[in-house]
Structures are given as C-alpha cells and as structure tokens.
Amino acid sequence: MEKIIYEFLHHARATWNRRWWILPVAWIISLGGWAYIHNLPDIYEADARVYVNTQSVLDPLLRGMTVRPDTEQRLRMITHTLLSRDNLEQIARNSDLDVVEGNSSLDDQVAMLREEITLEGGQRDNIYQVGFRHHDPDVAHRVVRQTVNLFMERGMGDSRLDLSTSQQFIERQLENYEQQLQEKEAEIEEFKRDNARFLSGDGNFYSRMEQAREQLRQARLQEREAQSRLQALQRRAAEAGAGGQARYQNPELERRISDLQDNLDAMRQRYTDEHPDVRSARRMLEELEQRREREAEAYAQNPQALPESGGGWGNDPLQVAITEARSELASLRTRIEDFEDRVERLEGDVHRAPAVESELTSLTRNYNVMRDSFRQLQNRREQAVMSGEVEMQTDAVDFRVLEPPRRPDQAAFPDRPLLAAGILLLGLGAGSGFAFLLSQVRRTISDTRQLAEVTGRPVLGSISRVRTAVHRRRRYSELFFFALGVGSLLLAFAIVMTLYLTDTASLLDNVTGFLP
C-alpha cells in the first residue's frame, strides 16, 4: 500500500511539473466542444399518455347473451401492429410529412417514423405512452396526435368490423343450411310417398304387424261371441215357438231378457259358473223368464187382462235381436277378412320393411343434425346481432387520454448544460492526461529513492535546493497565472451555463460564428 501511495504521489508530482500543458488542451477542447453542442440541432419531443380500460360493467350482465371479444388479446395485437407499414403510411399522410420535410419519398418518411415513434407501457396498468422526436415541434405534435388517434381507432373499429364480418358469414351459412333443409325435407317426403305402405301407421313395422295380428285375434273372438249370441237367440226363438207363446209379446221384458242373456254369455267366456256375477245374472234371468211365463199363462187364460203389445212376429224383439246378431256377425266376418289381408300384406313385406325403416332413420337423423345446426346458427345470429348492438352503442375497450399531446416549447435534446459540464471535465481530464503522458516520455528523478532504483546503487546523500526570494516570487507568479487560467476557464463555463439556463444562448451565435 505504501508503494502504491508513493507511486501515485510521484506521478502526480511529475504531472504537476508539466501543468502548463493542461490549460491549452482544456481550453481548446472546452471551446471546441461548447461550440459543437451549441450548433447541434434542437430535437423536440412530444408525448401523450393513454389509459385503456378493458373492464366493462356489461360483461357480467350480458354473459351468455352476447359474444364479447378478448379485449386483452386484441389490445396486444393493436400494440404490436401499430407501427406496421400501412399504419405508418397513414400517419405520414395525415401529418403532412412530405410538405414539412420537403421529401416526397414515402419510404424515407416511414423509416423515420419507425425509428422515432415509441410506444411504451401497458404491461400491468394498461397505460400507454406514445412519444416522437423531431427537430420541428409542430411535426412532433402532429405525429403524436395522429398516432394516438390511430391507436384509438384501431381499438374501437376492429371489433366492430369483426362482428360485421361474422354476421355476414352466419347469414350465408343460414341460407345454405335452409336450402339444404328444404332439399332434405323434399327427399324425405318423396321417400315416404314411395314407401307409404311400409311406413303407414304409428310405430315401427313390427309393432304395426303385431298390432294387426292382435286386432285379428280380437275380431275372431268377437265373431265367436256373436256366433254364440246368435245361436242362443235362435234357441230361444225355437223354444218360444214350441211353447205357443208367440201370441203374447212384451217388448220391454223381451229386451231385458235378451240383454241379460248377452251379458251372461259374455261373462261365461271370462268367468266360471260359480262366479258371483254369473250366478247373480243367472238368477235375474230365471226371474225374468218366470215372469214372462206367468204373464203368458195369464194372457192365455184371459187375453184381455194384458194388452197385446206388438204387431205379431214382424215386431218380435227376439226376431229383431236375431237379425241384429246376424248383421253384427256379417260385419265381424268382413272385418276379419280385412285384418287377414292386412296381416298377410305385412307378413309379405317383412323382408323389405326393415331396409325402408333403416333408410328413413338415416334420412331423419341427417335431417335432425342439420336442423339442430340450423337452430344453433340462428341462436348465434341473435347473439351476433345483440353483440353488434352492444359494440355500436357501447365501447368494449374504453380509451381515455390522460395526457393529450402538446406542442413542446423546449428541446428535449441536446441537454446543453449537462453536455457543457461534461465537456469541461473532458477538457481538464484530457489536459491532465496529456501532461501525464509528457511526464512519462521525459522522465526525471525527483528524490533519492527513485535514484537508487534507477542506478541500482545506494545513495550516500543529497543536496537540498535552496529557494531564494526570486525563486519564490517566480513560483508564486506561476501559481497565480495557472490559477488565473483555470479560473478563466471556469468563468467561461459559468457564462455558458448561465446563457443556457436563462435561454439566452443565442448570444453564443456571435461567438461561434468566428470558429470553424
């Protein structure tokens, strides 16, 4: 550490001995540097701050009813494409750069805008800062204003254009689906007409065939019932004719006996003779028949006792019932023949019907899929229409200009006071460096220790220098003039700083006009 301090003091002493080279170098660099920074063109910077609000109160209210675009992704896309060539050409035209710059080359204008326009921020708080530098403050202000306007137009207009395009696409798809549905409906109708005998009725083919068989069985059962009823009526008619009771007629009693006999026959087919209902019906039938026999005997003894109701065998209720039973039996046989023909026809089509039903199922399935897609598109169209209304009447992305662009009054570059101070330090440093370099080129021995190191021999002694009054006066005068030179340089620096800070730097034009 002691050696380092010794070396530093030795070099500092050697540089101080050549201190007169510091002033001219510092003066030359300082004056030249100050003249250079004074002649640098002023660069004005205009900027603006825009806040983008991507959160809307309508989003939770209209969720599921409208389609809201991804505002965050759209905003990132806008910021990434803002400085594209098309946008920069639009900014150049709107800012009249060809008139201001006097340069009609659009490529040069676009290159200049791409290099100078800055878009920063928006990482977390969605606050973007747009800046632009130019030597003309009016141009800087116009470019920033046009850039902010374009940024807002792209943010509000792109989503509306996307929704309009989506609505047009959905309308075209609906027209296509509607035409396809009409064609499919016509195909299904034609298929049903061509295969009506396989498809008529409810249910599938096998259920219709089973239903026809069941109807045939029911009809045959009804035929047997009607046949039994007719036979019973015929037996009763024969018994009535043999007993000589044909002359007495009681239509009401005969009707009740006939109805009760029909009910009894029906119940016997379903129940045994010991069933309570059957026994009750038989008892009532026996009572009615006994009553008829009593009335007939009374009528035979005294025909005037009971008035004859009826006009002979033509109005005999028993004969009327027999006629009705025969008509019913004939109707049932006709119905049986029809059911037999139907069952035979269905059994003949049993091999063709499954293929027809399978083909109809395929056609219907395709039609249902297209119909469901058509209905979904209709719902999407309604969502698109409502989304379009929301976009037209509200803004999904709200742009707020926090700081509008203003015409800059002061230049942003160069920072002449800072550069002037830097040039002063550079001049003093360069002068000191030059003096140090001379001390290294023309090295001298200043003490005994250095002499011993150079000669490699021990130093026996040294003779001190005696400074006379003349020497001291000359030394003081040298220090004075050196301090005067340094003070003059600092004074010049103070004057330059004062002119820059008080905006009176135009006075330096008279000075720098004489410099090359």
Side-chain angles (χ1 to χ4, degrees), residues 204-259:
N204 56 23
F205 176 80
Y206 294 101
S207 63
R208 292 199 309 274
M209 186 169 63
E210 186 64 28
Q211 183 180 4
R213 289 174 177 174
E214 181 64 24
Q215 291 174 348
L216 179 59
R217 286 193 294 269
Q218 292 293 332
R220 286 175 176 173
L221 177 61
Q222 292 175 3
E223 180 192 15
R224 290 194 297 270
E225 293 175 353
Q227 184 68 33
S228 300
R229 187 165 55 253
L230 178 61
Q231 293 175 358
L233 290 173
Q234 289 175 347
R235 287 194 303 269
R236 290 169 54 190
E239 292 174 357
Q245 298 176 359
R247 293 176 301 172
Y248 174 75
Q249 298 292 334
N250 189 345
E252 179 65 21
L253 185 59
E254 293 294 335
R255 184 185 61 79
R256 292 176 61 187
I257 292 174
S258 178
D259 293 341

Side-chain angles (χ1 to χ4, degrees), residues 260-274:
L260 189 57
Q261 182 66 42
D262 293 340
N263 292 335
L264 182 59
D265 293 339
M267 286 188 292
R268 282 176 176 175
Q269 293 179 1
R270 292 179 293 176
Y271 310 117
T272 62
D273 292 340
E274 300 299 324

Side-chain angles (χ1 to χ4, degrees), residues 57-68 386 390:
V57 180
L58 293 177
D59 288 342
L61 298 178
L62 300 179
R63 184 176 292 112
M65 300 175 61
T66 59
V67 179
R68 304 291 286 176
M386 183 172 291
V390 173

Side-chain angles (χ1 to χ4, degrees), residues 11-26 427-443 482:
H11 292 304
R13 190 180 300 110
T15 303
W16 175 254
N17 291 333
R18 290 165 176 79
R19 60 184 177 277
W20 293 107
W21 292 100
I22 297 176
L23 291 178
V25 173
L428 293 175
S432 300
F434 184 72
F436 174 76
L437 181 61
L438 291 179
S439 67
Q440 296 300 313
V441 174
R442 298 179 181 180
R443 305 184 67 177
F482 181 79

Side-chain angles (χ1 to χ4, degrees), residues 130-410:
V130 180
F132 178 71
R133 289 187 173 189
H134 196 266
H135 59 82
D136 189 342
D138 294 328
V139 173
H141 173 255
R142 282 201 298 268
V143 168
V144 173
R145 183 181 59 192
Q146 295 300 329
T147 304
V148 172
N149 293 339
L150 183 62
F151 181 55
M152 298 172 63
E153 290 174 2
R154 288 289 184 267
M156 293 185 294
D158 289 346
S159 60
R160 296 171 182 174
L161 179 61
D162 293 340
L163 282 174
S164 177
T165 305
S166 301
Q167 291 179 8
Q168 295 175 3
F169 173 77
I170 293 176
E171 291 293 341
R172 290 194 298 268
Q173 292 298 316
L174 283 175
E175 294 177 359
N176 295 334
Y177 270 98
E178 186 174 3
Q179 182 179 359
Q180 294 178 10
L181 285 175
Q182 293 176 355
E183 294 175 355
K184 187 64 68 175
E185 289 172 354
E187 182 180 358
I188 294 176
E189 291 176 359
E190 183 179 1
F191 181 81
K192 287 183 177 181
R193 285 194 301 268
D194 295 340
N195 302 275
R197 62 193 182 95
F198 301 102
L199 303 172
S200 59
D202 298 332
N204 56 23
F205 176 80
Y206 294 101
S207 63
R208 292 199 309 274
M209 186 169 63
E210 186 64 28
Q211 183 180 4
R213 289 174 177 174
E214 181 64 24
Q215 291 174 348
L216 179 59
R217 286 193 294 269
Q218 292 293 332
R220 286 175 176 173
L221 177 61
Q222 292 175 3
E223 180 192 15
R224 290 194 297 270
E225 293 175 353
Q227 184 68 33
S228 300
R229 187 165 55 253
L230 178 61
Q231 293 175 358
L233 290 173
Q234 289 175 347
R235 287 194 303 269
R236 290 169 54 190
E239 292 174 357
Q245 298 176 359
R247 293 176 301 172
Y248 174 75
Q249 298 292 334
N250 189 345
E252 179 65 21
L253 185 59
E254 293 294 335
R255 184 185 61 79
R256 292 176 61 187
I257 292 174
S258 178
D259 293 341
L260 189 57
Q261 182 66 42
D262 293 340
N263 292 335
L264 182 59
D265 293 339
M267 286 188 292
R268 282 176 176 175
Q269 293 179 1
R270 292 179 293 176
Y271 310 117
T272 62
D273 292 340
E274 300 299 324
H275 194 274
D277 294 338
V278 176
R279 296 174 61 183
S280 176
R282 290 174 60 185
R283 185 174 62 254
M284 293 178 63
L285 180 61
E286 291 175 357
E287 291 176 357
L288 291 176
E289 288 177 349
Q290 292 175 2
R291 176 183 173 184
R292 183 179 60 183
E293 291 176 357
R294 288 194 303 269
E295 289 181 358
E297 291 176 357
Y299 180 77
Q301 296 176 2
N302 185 11
Q304 303 297 327
L306 293 174
E308 185 177 356
S309 57
W313 287 103
N315 294 328
D316 187 3
L318 189 58
Q319 295 296 327
V320 173
I322 292 173
T323 303
E324 291 178 353
R326 288 175 178 173
S327 299
E328 182 182 0
L329 184 59
S331 176
L332 287 174
R333 287 173 179 173
T334 303
R335 190 183 304 172
I336 289 172
E337 292 177 357
D338 180 66
F339 287 153
E340 287 177 348
D341 293 339
R342 186 181 302 176
V343 171
E344 183 179 1
R345 189 168 57 253
L346 290 173
E347 290 177 348
D349 296 336
V350 71
H351 299 291
R352 171 62 181 160
V356 173
E357 290 187 353
S358 177
E359 187 174 352
L360 178 62
T361 302
S362 178
L363 292 174
T364 307
R365 181 172 58 251
N366 295 336
Y367 173 77
N368 291 335
V369 171
M370 295 178 62
R371 183 183 60 187
D372 294 340
S373 300
F374 181 75
R375 291 175 178 175
Q376 290 179 2
L377 279 176
Q378 286 181 326
N379 295 333
R380 295 297 181 183
R381 180 179 62 182
E382 296 300 325
Q383 289 184 350
V385 171
M386 183 172 291
S387 300
E389 294 295 331
V390 173
E391 287 291 333
M392 293 298 297
Q393 299 180 13
T394 62
D395 294 329
V397 179
D398 184 18
F399 290 86
R400 301 176 186 176
V401 181
L402 301 180
E403 294 182 4
R406 292 184 176 85
R407 183 183 182 279
D409 296 330
Q410 296 181 353

Side-chain angles (χ1 to χ4, degrees), residues 74-86:
R74 187 176 65 186
L75 189 60
R76 289 194 298 269
M77 184 270 295
I78 294 172
T79 56
H80 291 163
T81 60
L82 181 62
L83 301 182
S84 62
R85 182 175 179 85
D86 294 338

